[in-house]
Amino acid sequence: MPIIQSSYKPNLFFKNTHLNTSYKTLFTNQKIKYSRKRISTPDKDFLELDFSTVNSETLVIACHGLEGSSNSKYIISVCNYLNKQKIDCLALNFRGCSGEDNNFMYSYHSGKTDDLETIINYVTENYKHKNIALLGYSMGGNIVLKYLGENSIISPQIKCAIAISTPVDLESSSRELEKTHNKFYLNRFLKTLKQKSLEKSKKFPEAKLSKKAILNSKNFEDFDNAITAPLFGFKNAEDYWKKNSSLQYLNKITTPTLLINAKDDTFLGENCYPIQHAKNNTYLNLEIPDYGGHVGFNTSFNSNRNLWSEKRIHQFIKHIIL
Protein backbone atom coordinates (compact mmCIF):
# COMPACT_ATOMS: atom_id res chain seq x y z
CA MET A 1 0.00 0.00 0.00
CA PRO A 2 1.49 3.40 -0.96
CA ILE A 3 2.33 5.72 1.90
CA ILE A 4 -0.63 8.04 2.56
CA GLN A 5 -0.16 11.77 2.07
CA SER A 6 -1.27 13.28 5.38
CA SER A 7 -3.76 16.13 5.68
CA TYR A 8 -2.41 17.18 9.07
CA LYS A 9 -1.23 20.78 8.95
CA PRO A 10 -0.77 22.43 12.37
CA ASN A 11 -0.36 26.10 13.11
CA LEU A 12 3.07 27.46 14.03
CA PHE A 13 2.69 26.74 17.76
CA PHE A 14 1.91 23.06 17.27
CA LYS A 15 4.95 22.56 15.07
CA ASN A 16 6.70 22.37 18.43
CA THR A 17 6.64 18.64 19.19
CA HIS A 18 6.70 19.04 22.97
CA LEU A 19 3.78 21.48 23.03
CA ASN A 20 1.88 19.21 20.67
CA THR A 21 2.57 16.15 22.82
CA SER A 22 1.55 17.71 26.13
CA TYR A 23 -1.22 20.15 25.15
CA LYS A 24 -4.31 17.95 25.55
CA THR A 25 -3.05 16.41 28.76
CA LEU A 26 -2.30 19.76 30.37
CA PHE A 27 -4.90 22.11 28.94
CA THR A 28 -8.10 20.19 28.08
CA ASN A 29 -10.71 18.81 30.42
CA GLN A 30 -13.45 16.99 28.55
CA LYS A 31 -15.93 14.91 30.55
CA ILE A 32 -17.58 11.62 29.72
CA LYS A 33 -20.11 9.36 31.43
CA TYR A 34 -19.07 5.73 31.16
CA SER A 35 -20.99 2.61 32.03
CA ARG A 36 -18.48 0.23 33.65
CA LYS A 37 -18.53 -3.54 33.25
CA ARG A 38 -16.13 -5.87 35.07
CA ILE A 39 -15.31 -9.14 33.34
CA SER A 40 -13.26 -12.13 34.45
CA THR A 41 -10.13 -13.32 32.70
CA PRO A 42 -9.23 -17.00 32.14
CA ASP A 43 -6.56 -16.77 34.87
CA LYS A 44 -9.09 -15.56 37.50
CA ASP A 45 -8.22 -11.88 37.29
CA PHE A 46 -10.50 -9.08 36.12
CA LEU A 47 -10.69 -6.32 33.53
CA GLU A 48 -12.70 -3.11 33.76
CA LEU A 49 -14.46 -2.05 30.55
CA ASP A 50 -15.92 1.44 30.22
CA PHE A 51 -18.70 1.74 27.66
CA SER A 52 -20.03 4.91 26.06
CA THR A 53 -22.83 3.87 23.74
CA VAL A 54 -25.38 5.44 21.41
CA ASN A 55 -27.17 2.29 20.19
CA SER A 56 -24.94 1.78 17.16
CA GLU A 57 -24.17 -1.31 15.09
CA THR A 58 -20.51 -0.28 15.14
CA LEU A 59 -18.24 -0.44 18.18
CA VAL A 60 -14.74 0.99 18.61
CA ILE A 61 -12.56 -0.75 21.19
CA ALA A 62 -10.07 1.89 22.34
CA CYS A 63 -6.76 0.84 23.94
CA HIS A 64 -4.81 3.39 25.97
CA GLY A 65 -1.05 3.87 26.16
CA LEU A 66 1.51 3.10 28.87
CA GLU A 67 0.19 4.04 32.33
CA GLY A 68 -2.95 5.49 30.76
CA SER A 69 -6.57 4.47 31.29
CA SER A 70 -10.08 5.02 29.98
CA ASN A 71 -9.79 8.48 31.56
CA SER A 72 -6.78 9.53 29.48
CA LYS A 73 -7.61 12.79 27.72
CA TYR A 74 -7.10 11.34 24.22
CA ILE A 75 -9.41 8.39 25.00
CA ILE A 76 -12.19 10.62 26.34
CA SER A 77 -11.83 12.94 23.35
CA VAL A 78 -12.11 10.20 20.73
CA CYS A 79 -15.01 8.49 22.52
CA ASN A 80 -16.95 11.75 22.75
CA TYR A 81 -16.33 12.52 19.09
CA LEU A 82 -17.25 9.04 17.86
CA ASN A 83 -20.40 9.01 19.97
CA LYS A 84 -21.45 12.21 18.18
CA GLN A 85 -20.94 10.32 14.92
CA LYS A 86 -23.33 7.60 16.19
CA ILE A 87 -20.60 5.06 16.97
CA ASP A 88 -20.41 3.10 20.23
CA CYS A 89 -17.16 3.03 22.19
CA LEU A 90 -15.56 0.66 24.66
CA ALA A 91 -12.59 2.19 26.47
CA LEU A 92 -10.68 -0.65 28.07
CA ASN A 93 -8.39 -0.46 31.07
CA PHE A 94 -5.38 -2.75 31.05
CA ARG A 95 -4.80 -4.62 34.31
CA GLY A 96 -4.00 -2.29 37.18
CA CYS A 97 -5.00 0.83 35.23
CA SER A 98 -8.67 1.16 36.20
CA GLY A 99 -8.08 2.69 39.62
CA GLU A 100 -8.18 -0.69 41.35
CA ASP A 101 -5.23 -3.06 41.61
CA ASN A 102 -5.56 -6.38 39.84
CA ASN A 103 -5.31 -9.74 41.60
CA PHE A 104 -1.81 -10.84 40.65
CA MET A 105 1.77 -9.68 40.85
CA TYR A 106 1.86 -9.21 37.09
CA SER A 107 -0.40 -6.76 35.29
CA TYR A 108 0.20 -5.75 31.65
CA HIS A 109 3.03 -5.14 29.22
CA SER A 110 3.51 -3.70 25.75
CA GLY A 111 2.85 -6.96 23.92
CA LYS A 112 0.34 -8.70 26.20
CA THR A 113 -2.45 -9.40 23.73
CA ASP A 114 -4.39 -12.08 25.58
CA ASP A 115 -6.42 -9.52 27.55
CA LEU A 116 -7.44 -7.78 24.32
CA GLU A 117 -8.49 -11.17 22.98
CA THR A 118 -10.54 -11.81 26.15
CA ILE A 119 -12.32 -8.47 25.68
CA ILE A 120 -13.02 -9.14 21.99
CA ASN A 121 -14.44 -12.57 22.81
CA TYR A 122 -16.61 -11.08 25.54
CA VAL A 123 -17.98 -8.39 23.24
CA THR A 124 -18.69 -10.73 20.32
CA GLU A 125 -20.45 -13.22 22.60
CA ASN A 126 -22.53 -10.73 24.59
CA TYR A 127 -23.25 -7.79 22.29
CA LYS A 128 -24.80 -7.51 18.84
CA HIS A 129 -22.45 -5.13 17.06
CA LYS A 130 -22.06 -6.01 13.40
CA ASN A 131 -18.84 -4.04 13.08
CA ILE A 132 -15.87 -3.67 15.43
CA ALA A 133 -12.91 -1.34 14.94
CA LEU A 134 -9.80 -1.69 17.08
CA LEU A 135 -8.08 1.54 18.09
CA GLY A 136 -4.78 1.77 19.93
CA TYR A 137 -2.65 4.66 21.10
CA SER A 138 1.10 4.28 21.66
CA MET A 139 1.55 1.04 23.66
CA GLY A 140 -2.09 0.21 22.94
CA GLY A 141 -1.33 0.55 19.25
CA ASN A 142 1.50 -1.96 19.52
CA ILE A 143 -0.84 -4.41 21.26
CA VAL A 144 -3.49 -3.96 18.55
CA LEU A 145 -1.03 -4.46 15.69
CA LYS A 146 0.61 -7.46 17.35
CA TYR A 147 -2.79 -9.02 18.02
CA LEU A 148 -3.82 -8.66 14.38
CA GLY A 149 -0.55 -10.06 13.06
CA GLU A 150 -0.09 -12.99 15.42
CA ASN A 151 -3.59 -14.43 14.98
CA SER A 152 -4.43 -16.25 11.78
CA ILE A 153 -8.14 -16.21 12.64
CA ILE A 154 -9.76 -12.88 13.55
CA SER A 155 -13.41 -12.39 14.49
CA PRO A 156 -15.36 -11.47 11.33
CA GLN A 157 -16.89 -8.55 13.23
CA ILE A 158 -13.48 -6.85 13.33
CA LYS A 159 -13.51 -4.81 10.14
CA CYS A 160 -10.56 -2.46 10.64
CA ALA A 161 -7.95 -1.10 13.02
CA ILE A 162 -6.19 2.19 13.70
CA ALA A 163 -2.91 2.65 15.58
CA ILE A 164 -1.73 6.11 16.63
CA SER A 165 1.83 7.11 17.66
CA THR A 166 2.86 3.48 17.95
CA PRO A 167 6.31 2.17 19.00
CA VAL A 168 6.25 -0.81 16.65
CA ASP A 169 9.89 -1.45 17.60
CA LEU A 170 10.06 -1.38 21.38
CA GLU A 171 13.83 -1.25 21.65
CA SER A 172 14.04 1.64 19.20
CA SER A 173 11.45 3.57 21.22
CA SER A 174 13.04 2.73 24.56
CA ARG A 175 16.42 4.00 23.36
CA GLU A 176 14.84 7.25 22.13
CA LEU A 177 13.20 7.85 25.48
CA GLU A 178 16.61 7.62 27.18
CA LYS A 179 17.77 10.74 25.37
CA THR A 180 18.06 14.02 27.23
CA HIS A 181 15.19 15.80 25.47
CA ASN A 182 12.82 13.01 26.55
CA LYS A 183 13.83 12.81 30.23
CA PHE A 184 10.63 14.56 31.36
CA TYR A 185 8.43 11.94 29.72
CA LEU A 186 10.62 9.02 30.80
CA ASN A 187 10.68 10.12 34.42
CA ARG A 188 6.94 10.62 34.42
CA PHE A 189 6.40 7.05 33.21
CA LEU A 190 8.95 5.63 35.65
CA LYS A 191 7.44 7.45 38.62
CA THR A 192 4.10 5.62 38.43
CA LEU A 193 5.63 2.34 37.25
CA LYS A 194 7.96 2.32 40.25
CA GLN A 195 5.16 3.23 42.66
CA LYS A 196 2.99 0.38 41.41
CA SER A 197 5.90 -2.07 41.46
CA LEU A 198 6.84 -1.21 45.04
CA GLU A 199 3.22 -1.66 46.12
CA LYS A 200 3.11 -5.01 44.33
CA SER A 201 6.36 -6.07 45.99
CA LYS A 202 4.84 -5.43 49.43
CA LYS A 203 1.65 -7.25 48.48
CA PHE A 204 3.48 -10.24 47.00
CA PRO A 205 6.76 -10.67 48.96
CA GLU A 206 7.08 -14.20 47.59
CA ALA A 207 7.92 -12.70 44.20
CA LYS A 208 11.24 -11.55 45.73
CA LEU A 209 11.53 -8.48 43.54
CA SER A 210 14.47 -6.23 44.29
CA LYS A 211 13.32 -2.95 45.83
CA LYS A 212 16.78 -1.54 45.14
CA ALA A 213 16.59 -2.47 41.44
CA ILE A 214 13.16 -0.86 41.17
CA LEU A 215 14.24 2.38 42.83
CA ASN A 216 17.49 2.55 40.86
CA SER A 217 15.82 2.14 37.47
CA LYS A 218 16.88 5.09 35.33
CA ASN A 219 15.33 4.00 32.05
CA PHE A 220 13.05 1.36 30.54
CA GLU A 221 15.90 -1.11 30.16
CA ASP A 222 16.57 -0.98 33.90
CA PHE A 223 12.88 -1.25 34.74
CA ASP A 224 12.14 -4.05 32.28
CA ASN A 225 15.16 -6.00 33.55
CA ALA A 226 13.99 -5.54 37.15
CA ILE A 227 10.24 -6.07 36.70
CA THR A 228 8.82 -6.91 33.28
CA ALA A 229 11.26 -9.62 32.24
CA PRO A 230 11.23 -11.68 35.47
CA LEU A 231 7.47 -11.39 35.99
CA PHE A 232 6.58 -12.48 32.46
CA GLY A 233 9.35 -15.01 31.87
CA PHE A 234 11.64 -13.11 29.49
CA LYS A 235 15.41 -13.44 29.67
CA ASN A 236 15.95 -9.70 29.95
CA ALA A 237 14.69 -6.38 28.62
CA GLU A 238 16.02 -6.96 25.11
CA ASP A 239 14.35 -10.37 24.94
CA TYR A 240 11.08 -8.77 26.04
CA TRP A 241 11.37 -5.98 23.46
CA LYS A 242 12.27 -8.35 20.64
CA LYS A 243 9.41 -10.78 21.27
CA ASN A 244 6.74 -8.14 21.78
CA SER A 245 7.43 -5.56 19.08
CA SER A 246 4.61 -5.53 16.53
CA LEU A 247 7.06 -4.73 13.72
CA GLN A 248 7.68 -8.43 13.06
CA TYR A 249 3.93 -9.06 12.70
CA LEU A 250 3.02 -6.24 10.31
CA ASN A 251 3.46 -8.34 7.19
CA LYS A 252 0.93 -10.85 8.55
CA ILE A 253 -1.90 -8.37 9.09
CA THR A 254 -4.92 -9.11 6.89
CA THR A 255 -7.34 -6.57 8.41
CA PRO A 256 -7.52 -3.06 6.89
CA THR A 257 -5.28 -1.06 9.20
CA LEU A 258 -4.15 2.55 9.48
CA LEU A 259 -0.93 3.45 11.30
CA ILE A 260 -0.27 7.15 11.95
CA ASN A 261 3.20 8.01 13.31
CA ALA A 262 4.35 11.63 13.21
CA LYS A 263 7.83 12.29 11.86
CA ASP A 264 8.58 14.57 14.84
CA ASP A 265 7.40 12.07 17.48
CA THR A 266 10.31 12.09 19.91
CA PHE A 267 9.18 8.77 21.44
CA LEU A 268 9.82 6.88 18.21
CA GLY A 269 13.09 5.66 16.76
CA GLU A 270 13.89 5.12 13.09
CA ASN A 271 12.55 1.54 13.11
CA CYS A 272 9.10 2.79 14.16
CA TYR A 273 8.37 4.01 10.62
CA PRO A 274 7.73 0.73 8.74
CA ILE A 275 7.64 2.14 5.21
CA GLN A 276 8.71 -1.05 3.47
CA HIS A 277 6.21 -3.14 5.42
CA ALA A 278 3.41 -0.84 4.30
CA LYS A 279 4.56 -0.99 0.67
CA ASN A 280 4.51 -4.79 0.82
CA ASN A 281 1.17 -5.25 2.61
CA THR A 282 -2.00 -4.02 0.90
CA TYR A 283 -3.84 -4.08 4.25
CA LEU A 284 -1.42 -1.76 6.04
CA ASN A 285 -1.87 1.98 5.44
CA LEU A 286 0.96 4.15 6.79
CA GLU A 287 0.58 7.89 7.33
CA ILE A 288 3.60 9.92 8.45
CA PRO A 289 2.70 13.58 9.03
CA ASP A 290 5.66 15.93 9.37
CA TYR A 291 4.30 17.08 12.74
CA GLY A 292 2.03 15.74 15.45
CA GLY A 293 4.23 14.92 18.41
CA HIS A 294 3.28 11.86 20.45
CA VAL A 295 -0.50 11.35 20.55
CA GLY A 296 -0.81 15.08 19.88
CA PHE A 297 -2.03 16.13 16.42
CA ASN A 298 -3.42 19.40 17.71
CA THR A 299 -4.46 22.08 15.25
CA SER A 300 -6.16 24.75 17.33
CA PHE A 301 -6.45 26.14 20.86
CA ASN A 302 -10.23 25.93 20.35
CA SER A 303 -11.17 22.48 21.68
CA ASN A 304 -14.23 22.29 19.43
CA ARG A 305 -12.00 22.51 16.35
CA ASN A 306 -9.02 20.63 17.72
CA LEU A 307 -10.11 17.21 16.47
CA TRP A 308 -7.83 16.21 13.59
CA SER A 309 -6.94 12.71 14.84
CA GLU A 310 -10.51 12.02 15.95
CA LYS A 311 -11.80 12.99 12.51
CA ARG A 312 -9.09 11.00 10.77
CA ILE A 313 -10.01 7.90 12.81
CA HIS A 314 -13.67 8.34 11.92
CA GLN A 315 -12.81 8.93 8.27
CA PHE A 316 -10.95 5.61 8.08
CA ILE A 317 -13.72 3.72 9.88
CA LYS A 318 -16.30 5.27 7.58
CA HIS A 319 -14.23 4.37 4.53
CA ILE A 320 -13.99 0.71 5.55
CA ILE A 321 -17.27 0.08 7.37
CA LEU A 322 -19.97 2.71 7.04
Side-chain angles (χ1 to χ4, degrees):
M1 179 66 67
I3 309 305
I4 295 173
Q5 184 69 36
S6 182
S7 65
Y8 178 66
K9 295 185 180 355
N11 63 28
L12 179 62
F13 294 100
F14 290 122
K15 288 183 179 180
N16 181 301
T17 183
H18 298 295
L19 176 61
N20 213 337
T21 297
S22 59
Y23 179 76
K24 276 185 181 175
T25 299
L26 297 177
F27 300 110
T28 64
N29 192 31
Q30 289 192 47
K31 304 295 184 183
I32 193 168
K33 187 175 182 179
Y34 288 126
S35 173
R36 176 160 288 192
K37 177 70 177 180
R38 175 176 288 195
I39 66 172
S40 298
T41 62
D43 62 348
K44 309 302 181 186
D45 209 343
F46 66 89
L47 293 165
E48 304 273 23
L49 313 183
D50 286 327
F51 288 87
S52 179
T53 59
V54 289
N55 196 30
S56 173
E57 292 184 342
T58 299
L59 174 72
V60 170
I61 299 177
C63 307
H64 62 78
L66 182 67
E67 288 300 275
S69 73
S70 62
N71 286 318
S72 294
K73 300 292 182 68
Y74 53 89
I75 295 289
I76 292 175
S77 181
V78 76
C79 288
N80 277 334
Y81 182 79
L82 291 175
N83 283 169
K84 290 177 182 178
Q85 311 310 313
K86 308 302 181 185
I87 294 175
D88 288 347
C89 290
L90 186 175
L92 62 79
N93 295 279
F94 291 112
R95 300 191 197 202
C97 295
S98 67
E100 183 174 343
D101 194 14
N102 65 303
N103 294 336
F104 298 113
M105 181 68 208
Y106 59 86
S107 54
Y108 70 94
H109 66 66
S110 296
K112 193 175 187 300
T113 57
D114 56 340
D115 286 343
L116 177 58
E117 182 175 28
T118 295
I119 292 166
I120 292 169
N121 290 339
Y122 172 78
V123 167
T124 55
E125 291 169 6
N126 292 278
Y127 295 85
K128 297 181 179 180
H129 294 97
K130 292 182 179 179
N131 311 305
I132 295 174
L134 302 181
L135 170 62
Y137 291 86
S138 195
M139 179 198 75
N142 187 70
I143 290 173
V144 166
L145 295 175
K146 181 172 177 281
Y147 171 80
L148 292 174
E150 70 185 4
N151 288 285
S152 58
I153 300 176
I154 300 291
S155 169
Q157 284 103 308
I158 297 177
K159 301 299 198 307
C160 67
I162 305 99
I164 308 289
S165 301
T166 300
V168 298
D169 183 89
L170 296 175
E171 179 170 7
S172 175
S173 177
S174 296
R175 300 302 184 198
E176 284 298 313
L177 281 160
E178 293 176 8
K179 295 180 178 179
T180 302
H181 61 272
N182 282 324
K183 284 294 185 182
F184 170 80
Y185 308 113
L186 176 64
N187 290 336
R188 191 174 178 194
F189 285 131
L190 288 176
K191 181 179 179 180
T192 57
L193 287 169
K194 287 180 181 181
Q195 287 173 345
K196 286 183 177 180
S197 298
L198 291 171
E199 290 169 4
K200 287 283 193 180
S201 185
K202 290 180 182 178
K203 190 175 178 181
F204 299 95
E206 66 276 13
K208 297 181 179 179
L209 296 176
S210 170
K211 181 179 178 181
K212 181 178 180 181
I214 295 170
L215 290 172
N216 289 340
S217 296
K218 303 298 183 185
N219 50 46
F220 283 135
E221 182 171 21
D222 292 342
F223 181 82
D224 289 334
N225 276 326
I227 299 296
T228 314
L231 285 184
F232 290 96
F234 301 108
K235 296 176 185 176
N236 50 37
E238 290 188 359
D239 183 50
Y240 158 58
W241 297 336
K242 181 178 179 181
K243 290 178 178 176
N244 290 281
S245 294
S246 60
L247 185 66
Q248 63 197 304
Y249 296 99
L250 296 182
N251 64 331
K252 298 178 181 178
I253 291 176
T254 57
T255 300
T257 298
L258 173 64
L259 170 59
I260 304 176
N261 279 354
K263 192 178 294 184
D264 72 341
D265 189 331
T266 63
F267 287 34
L268 304 182
E270 184 178 349
N271 290 345
C272 292
Y273 300 91
I275 293 173
Q276 199 58 47
H277 290 76
K279 288 181 177 179
N280 293 336
N281 186 346
T282 57
Y283 293 98
L284 180 62
N285 302 271
L286 178 60
E287 186 169 340
I288 309 176
D290 288 336
Y291 305 99
H294 188 73
V295 194
F297 302 104
N298 297 281
T299 55
S300 170
F301 293 108
N302 183 329
S303 59
N304 293 322
R305 297 203 306 263
N306 192 24
L307 296 165
W308 182 86
S309 62
E310 291 84 350
K311 290 180 178 179
R312 186 69 185 92
I313 289 163
H314 178 244
Q315 182 184 48
F316 187 74
I317 293 171
K318 187 175 180 181
H319 174 69
I320 301 297
I321 296 176
L322 305 178

